[in-house]
Amino acid sequence: MRLAVALLYTALMLGANPGHADLAAAAAARAGDMRRLVIHDAPEPVPETALQGLDDAPRSLAEYKGGWVVVNFWATWCAPCRKEMPALDRLASTGTTVVTVATGRNPVPAIERFWADNGIAHLPVLRDPSSDLSRGMAILGLPVTVILNPEGQEVARLIGDAEWDGPEAKAVLDALQN
């Protein structure tokens, strides 16, 4: 009898915790480029760090709390970033919230030229010129893409470029959001 009660309690607890069920479904959905996506056992905090917009206005990832967010750390000099950015732009055009964080010294004119050269039209640019957020999140190379839950916590991370608008990425993102 105790075993049955324990199993029922566990099932109810997992059913009442959609974040846990979503992470398991997302892990099961990984294929293609998404096999490199590391889904954390538990959400990890993201440091509250001041960022800047292209206009030097103060910005923050906290602005995006309340929904699932794909955050891409990149730089204008990064060749894999150049390859990946159009896929992130296409993903954003479908309604997925995608935020880019230009890490380190990336002059605004170089960012604007990067956007124009790659036809980027749907992505906001936040800047982390002193790399405070990047260091706080242990971003050691570029590109790195993290997925934040609605509470603003990191639930997954992919190092390197990926086809973020491909069916494999969409399956993982759909599993997280459902």
Side-chain angles (χ1 to χ4, degrees):
M1 179 65 176
R2 284 185 179 192
L3 178 60
V5 170
L7 289 173
L8 178 61
Y9 175 78
T10 301
L12 290 172
M13 182 183 76
L14 290 176
N17 186 350
H20 179 70
D22 293 340
L23 295 178
R30 289 178 299 176
D33 286 344
M34 294 298 112
R35 282 190 295 253
R36 294 183 287 123
L37 182 72
V38 175
I39 298 176
H40 307 310
D41 291 333
E44 298 180 0
V46 172
E48 292 288 332
T49 304
L51 301 171
Q52 298 173 344
L54 287 178
D55 59 359
D56 291 332
R59 299 291 303 272
S60 168
L61 286 180
E63 298 170 27
Y64 297 94
K65 282 187 179 178
W68 289 91
V69 182
V70 175
V71 180
N72 180 261
F73 291 85
W74 69 286
T76 56
W77 47 263
C78 168
C81 300
R82 185 170 297 276
K83 177 183 173 201
E84 173 181 60
M85 201 62 69
L88 288 163
D89 190 55
R90 289 187 298 271
L91 177 64
S93 75
T94 68
T96 299
T97 302
V98 181
V99 177
T100 66
V101 178
T103 301
R105 294 186 309 202
N106 292 282
V108 171
I111 293 171
E112 291 170 339
R113 198 168 35 255
F114 185 103
W115 252 223
D117 289 350
N118 290 285
I120 307 303
H122 303 97
L123 297 175
V125 179
L126 302 182
R127 296 183 303 130
D128 183 18
S130 59
S131 299
D132 290 339
L133 179 61
S134 301
R135 273 193 305 280
M137 292 182 68
I139 305 295
L140 302 176
L142 297 175
V144 171
T145 305
V146 299
I147 301 173
L148 305 181
N149 66 15
E151 290 76 36
Q153 302 163 314
E154 180 180 332
V155 296
R157 176 180 293 222
L158 190 144
I159 298 171
D161 60 302
E163 287 298 319
W164 285 99
D165 63 331
E168 295 88 359
K170 288 180 182 177
V172 168
L173 295 171
D174 287 346
L176 284 171
Q177 297 176 40
N178 292 323

